[in-house]
Every structure is written in structure tokens, then in C-alpha cells.
Amino acid sequence: MLDHRHEDLVAAAVVPAVTVVLEGRSICHRISLHKHGSYQSFAKALRRMFGEGGDHDVDDKDLDLSNAVPGHLIAYEDMENDLLLAGDLNWK
């Protein structure tokens, strides 16, 4: 158990939590990317955060960033302030 806590602390220092904002809402959420091992896991977390209404019948195996939050694209802003689609790069 102690090893996992140590790994979480090290990972949190290397990969800080990110702020997730759903366009059109004034509330945002923080998510720790190091707690997710894949885009599918991240998509599942986004669905739990923002998935009100819409198609919740998507099987976990079919869930990905393209359908995590129905009607929205998952993008991020890089260090140069460019807006990029999430999922274009390898998860690691």
C-alpha cells in the first residue's frame, strides 16, 4: 500500500492535475491524469463528470474521447497556447 502512495506522489509531482472545462459552463473540474492508464479511462472519467443527458448506453469498451461527452470535442491547450485534439498522441 505504501508503494502505491509513493508512486502517486511522484506521479503527481511529474504530471500535475489539469483543469477540465466544458464550454458554456461556469464550473470546471480538476483531474489527475496520472490516475488514468489510457484514453479510455480518461474518457470514462469525463463521462462521469459531464455526462448528463445524452447517450449513456455506450458500452465501456466502446467509450472513447469521441463520445465521452456527447456533442463536444475533447481538446487541450499546449504550452504554446495551441488548441489540439486530445487523443492524437500516444497516451504516455
Side-chain angles (χ1 to χ4, degrees):
M1 184 78 158
L2 186 57
D3 287 338
H4 286 290
R5 278 191 240 156
H6 178 70
E7 287 176 14
D8 280 348
L9 289 173
V10 170
V14 174
V15 181
V18 295
T19 302
V20 180
V21 180
L22 184 63
E23 189 173 313
R25 291 197 187 171
S26 58
I27 298 174
C28 55
H29 299 274
R30 302 274 294 162
I31 189 165
S32 298
L33 294 179
H34 76 274
K35 292 188 177 187
H36 300 281
S38 66
Y39 281 116
Q40 187 176 26
S41 172
F42 180 52
K44 193 173 180 179
L46 292 174
R47 171 62 62 98
R48 282 193 306 269
M49 281 184 202
F50 300 114
E52 61 191 46
D55 180 16
H56 286 110
D57 296 331
V58 175
D59 234 353
D60 277 356
K61 65 180 169 71
D62 296 326
L63 186 64
D64 61 24
L65 292 180
S66 69
N67 60 11
V69 184
H72 295 275
L73 294 174
I74 311 301
Y76 66 96
E77 196 171 282
D78 69 5
M79 292 169 53
E80 287 134 12
N81 294 326
D82 294 324
L83 194 60
L84 306 167
L85 288 178
D88 284 350
L89 300 175
N90 182 318
W91 174 254
K92 294 291 177 184

